[in-house]
Amino acid sequence: MTDKRLAAFVLWLMWADMLLAVVMVPISIPDLTAKSDLIVHGRVLSKSCQRDPQGRIYTKVELQVTETWKGTPTASPLTIVHGGGVLGQERVVVSGQVDYQPGEEVVAFLVLNQRGEAVTLGLAQGKFHVWTDQASGRPLARNPFHGGPELSPVPSSPTPSPARLTLSAL
């Protein structure tokens, strides 16, 4: 009897986990560009979690903008906000949400909310992590749907694979 209960519990956990999964339809780079109010290239200075007047936990990211590709940043450094985060003993998770890390170089496709705050377009789809490929020395970019893996190209190949997205092509 105990084995049946354990099996039922495990199946229930697997089913519940599937309910929490997010399904994203990829947004093309031209669509990200067209829908963005602001596109910036920069480095994440910091991130912190706060509580808004309605009691919701959100994350505030400070981005030092090095280039503006579209629009005009509202401040320097630029503040980006998104739902979720960890505040004290409370944790709020938004499935598919963007994740910025201090020190990370990024290109962010942003929209302005009704309060004029920058919000990443399409959750994680609107943020491209930028790094320099060690083999070619070229800056590359990627997000969950564009740019391929962050691994170096095959040593026998002097150029990035076709799935690679250079910063200049982005």
Side-chain angles (χ1 to χ4, degrees):
M1 188 70 164
T2 304
D3 289 338
K4 287 183 182 181
R5 283 186 178 166
L6 178 61
F9 179 70
V10 169
L11 286 174
W12 178 83
L13 281 177
M14 290 171 49
W15 176 78
D17 188 49
M18 288 188 298
L19 287 177
L20 297 175
V22 65
V23 176
M24 290 182 143
V25 175
I27 302 173
S28 70
I29 294 171
D31 283 348
L32 283 168
T33 302
K35 294 176 181 180
S36 293
D37 296 322
L38 186 62
I39 304 172
V40 294
H41 174 210
R43 188 162 302 277
V44 177
L45 297 174
S46 65
K47 77 176 185 178
S48 62
C49 292
Q50 301 180 10
R51 189 177 305 275
D52 70 10
Q54 290 76 33
R56 299 173 294 209
I57 294 174
Y58 70 98
T59 299
K60 181 177 169 184
V61 176
E62 298 294 324
L63 183 73
Q64 183 62 55
V65 176
T66 55
E67 293 181 283
T68 302
W69 296 358
K70 181 179 180 182
T72 304
T74 54
S76 180
L78 178 65
T79 300
I80 302 171
V81 297
H82 65 80
V86 179
L87 187 61
Q89 298 295 317
E90 292 181 74
R91 178 177 179 207
V92 175
V93 177
V94 177
S95 197
Q97 186 59 276
V98 67
D99 182 36
Y100 290 94
Q101 292 300 316
E104 180 182 23
E105 184 179 355
V106 300
V107 172
F109 290 74
L110 306 164
V111 293
L112 300 176
N113 65 18
Q114 58 272 35
R115 292 179 298 280
E117 300 164 319
V119 177
T120 308
L121 180 63
L123 299 172
Q125 294 190 58
K127 177 201 141 197
F128 285 77
H129 172 73
V130 177
W131 80 101
T132 301
D133 179 67
Q134 291 183 347
S136 68
R138 297 166 69 176
L140 302 175
R142 73 176 307 277
N143 77 1
F145 295 102
H146 304 286
E150 192 173 326
L151 303 172
S152 294
V154 179
S156 63
S157 173
T159 59
S161 66
R164 295 301 178 103
L165 178 62
T166 63
L167 184 60
S168 60
L170 179 61

